[in-house]
């Protein structure tokens, strides 16, 4: 499906700052800080797009081309999947921020 980040990253970005850690506005503890990387948030604002552009500029998950196959004197239309000349969509901005997959959260229903 895709790398969740837990196997590819050796640094845990949501660690607590430890004793004497940074306090945010209002006396609340600031979000976790990664070692030497600034602050890390538990939210994800972008994702990698799963769709592709073709030569015409159309956007879709898969592209097919209709081909005519003659078998035993009968013409039949067949769909052939296109793999060449496709450009990935790239980074897509999310409408609503999501919680990072590696952030430990317990959801319970009351």
């Amino acid at each position: 499906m895709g790398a969740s980040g837990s196997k590819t990253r050796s640094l845990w970005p949501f660690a607590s700052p430890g004793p004497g850690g940074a306090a945010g506005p209002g006396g609340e503890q600031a979000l976790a800080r990664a070692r030497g990387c600034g602050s890390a948030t538990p939210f994800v604002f972008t994702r990698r797009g799963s769709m592709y552009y073709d030569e015409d500029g159309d956007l879709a998950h898969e592209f097919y081309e209709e081909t005519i196959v003659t078998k035993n004197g009968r013409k039949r239309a067949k769909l052939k999947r296109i793999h060449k000349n496709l450009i990935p969509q790239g980074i897509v901005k999310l409408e609503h921020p999501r919680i990072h997959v590696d952030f430990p959260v317990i959801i319970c229903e009351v």
Side-chain angles (χ1 to χ4, degrees):
M1 287 285 176
S4 66
S6 61
K7 297 178 184 101
T8 59
R9 187 181 304 161
S10 62
L11 174 66
W12 176 250
F14 308 113
S16 62
E28 294 179 6
Q29 190 175 18
L31 287 173
R33 291 189 179 272
R35 291 181 219 139
C37 294
S39 64
T41 66
F43 300 109
V44 177
F45 299 98
T46 58
R47 67 172 176 85
R48 188 181 322 185
S50 60
M51 296 196 277
Y52 296 90
Y53 290 103
D54 67 347
E55 299 110 359
D56 301 330
D58 297 328
L59 182 67
H61 287 285
E62 298 174 340
F63 288 95
Y64 292 93
E65 176 181 43
E66 187 176 10
T67 57
I68 304 297
V69 178
T70 306
K71 187 174 181 182
N72 295 333
R74 298 178 65 183
K75 289 184 180 180
R76 183 174 175 206
K78 223 175 177 185
L79 294 177
K80 180 182 176 185
R81 187 169 177 192
I82 299 174
H83 295 283
K84 296 180 181 178
N85 299 328
L86 297 179
I87 302 166
Q89 185 180 13
I91 302 297
V92 178
K93 187 175 179 181
L94 297 172
E95 291 181 22
H96 306 288
R98 298 183 182 164
I99 296 177
H100 194 277
V101 72
D102 288 337
F103 189 71
V105 176
I106 299 173
I107 300 174
C108 62
E109 187 174 335
V110 181

